[in-house]
Amino acid sequence: MPAPPSAEIIDGCKTFIPLENNPEVLRHLCQNLGVTRELQFKDIISLSSNHLRESSLGPCHALIVLAETAIFSYARPTDGLAIPEYQGSGPDEPILWMRQTINHACGLMALLHVVFNLRGGRYVQPGTPLDGLRRQAIGLAPAERARLLYESKFLEEAHMDAASRGSSRAPSPREDNQHHFMAFVQKDGQVWELNGGLAGPYMRGAINVGEDLLSEKGLDLTVKDFVTAAQQTGHYEMSIVAVMGDPTQ
C-alpha cells in the first residue's frame, strides 16, 4: 500500500483528510495510536429497542457520531448553547476536553475524547506516545492542550494513515467536508458531549445506575437531538458507532 498522504497547510492551518465513521477505520486508528484491543466498535444501524436488544451489544459507555453539517447546525446552533469558554485543567477536571484547531480532524478528536476519558484512560497503553500525550495534556490549559495536539507529528501520522484506509476514496485535504464528528462519554453517572468545535464540554445530564448510552435514557441524552434535527432538515446522512470496552465493567 502506498504511503499515506501528508497533512497540508491550507490558509495557514494544518488540514487532515477526514475520517470515515466505521469500526474498521476506528480500529485501525486505535492500533496506530496505541489503544488496547479491549476497546471495540460496532455500527448502530437502527435505534429501535428491538434492534438494539437483538444486536446483543455489551455495555456501551461511549458513542462516536458523524452527522451532516446541516444536522449538526440545527441541533447545536452556535447561539443556542449556554456553554462558557472552557478554562479547566488538571487532574480534578470532571472530564478531559480538548479544543480542535486542526481542520478535518474532528474524527480524531472524537476518538481521543473517548479513549482519554473512558474509564480514566485505561484503554491507552501505558508507555506509548499517546499515554505520554494524555498525561501532558491533563496539566495544560485549553490553549496549550490544543497546541500540543496541533504540533504532534505522531497524531498526524496515525490519523492520515487511518483516513487513507476507508471503504471509499480518500479525499484531498482541500476538498470540502460537509460532516462533523462528536463523541458522547458516560463518566461517573454523567453523560458528556465532547466536541472540540464547541466552547467546551457539554454535560447532557445524569444517567441511572445500570443504564448505558443505548438505553432509552442514554439515547435521550445523546443522539435523539440529532435524529430530530435530521427529520426537521431533511438531511439524513448520520452514522453512529457504539464503543464497548471491558464487558465486566
Side-chain angles (χ1 to χ4, degrees):
M1 184 174 181
S6 299
E8 295 188 29
I9 303 298
I10 300 175
D11 296 329
C13 184
K14 183 185 287 188
T15 304
F16 287 172
I17 292 172
L19 283 178
E20 288 184 16
N21 193 30
N22 75 60
E24 289 301 321
V25 169
L26 293 171
R27 276 193 285 268
H28 188 82
L29 180 54
C30 282
Q31 180 180 337
N32 288 350
L33 291 173
V35 176
T36 70
R37 293 180 179 271
E38 289 178 281
L39 208 61
Q40 298 295 315
F41 303 90
K42 178 74 174 180
D43 274 322
I44 302 299
I45 60 175
S46 171
L47 296 178
S48 74
S49 57
N50 286 340
H51 172 76
L52 294 175
R53 183 169 55 252
E54 292 169 0
S55 296
S56 300
L57 298 171
C60 172
H61 301 296
L63 298 172
I64 293 177
V65 179
L66 176 68
E68 283 187 87
T69 302
I71 297 173
F72 177 78
S73 298
Y74 188 94
R76 296 289 180 267
T78 54
D79 60 351
L81 290 180
I83 302 177
E85 191 71 24
Y86 190 67
Q87 300 296 330
S89 65
D92 295 328
E93 288 177 288
I95 201 80
L96 174 58
W97 176 84
M98 299 160 292
R99 181 177 295 125
Q100 178 187 340
T101 57
I102 304 170
N103 288 336
H104 297 175
C106 52
L108 173 66
M109 296 297 297
L111 183 65
L112 291 178
H113 276 128
V114 168
V115 300
F116 281 1
N117 286 292
L118 201 58
R119 295 203 62 206
R122 67 151 283 179
Y123 298 108
V124 178
Q125 294 187 47
T128 59
L130 187 66
D131 181 42
L133 188 145
R134 178 181 180 273
R135 293 176 184 276
Q136 186 176 354
I138 288 172
L140 298 177
E144 285 70 37
R145 281 182 188 168
R147 188 175 305 113
L148 176 71
L149 302 186
Y150 189 95
E151 294 176 351
S152 172
K153 190 65 176 177
F154 160 69
L155 289 181
E156 176 183 332
E157 291 174 349
H159 173 101
M160 294 297 283
D161 177 65
S164 302
R165 295 173 181 263
S167 58
S168 59
R169 179 188 66 85
S172 160
R174 294 185 175 273
E175 293 181 36
D176 288 339
N177 178 24
Q178 298 300 318
H179 298 78
H180 190 70
F181 276 90
M182 67 218 79
F184 296 93
V185 175
Q186 179 182 349
K187 182 181 179 185
D188 299 329
Q190 296 178 323
V191 177
W192 294 88
E193 183 173 331
L194 301 173
N195 176 353
L198 296 179
Y202 184 22
M203 207 280 278
R204 299 283 291 135
I207 197 166
N208 298 325
V209 175
E211 291 184 314
D212 69 359
L213 297 191
L214 295 179
S215 66
E216 183 177 354
K217 180 67 176 293
L219 294 173
D220 284 343
L221 293 176
T222 58
V223 298
K224 285 293 180 69
D225 286 355
F226 298 91
V227 172
T228 299
Q231 295 167 344
Q232 294 294 322
T233 63
H235 292 264
Y236 294 98
E237 288 188 21
M238 185 169 69
S239 63
I240 303 168
V241 172
V243 186
M244 284 83 62
D246 185 342
T248 65
Q249 299 299 319

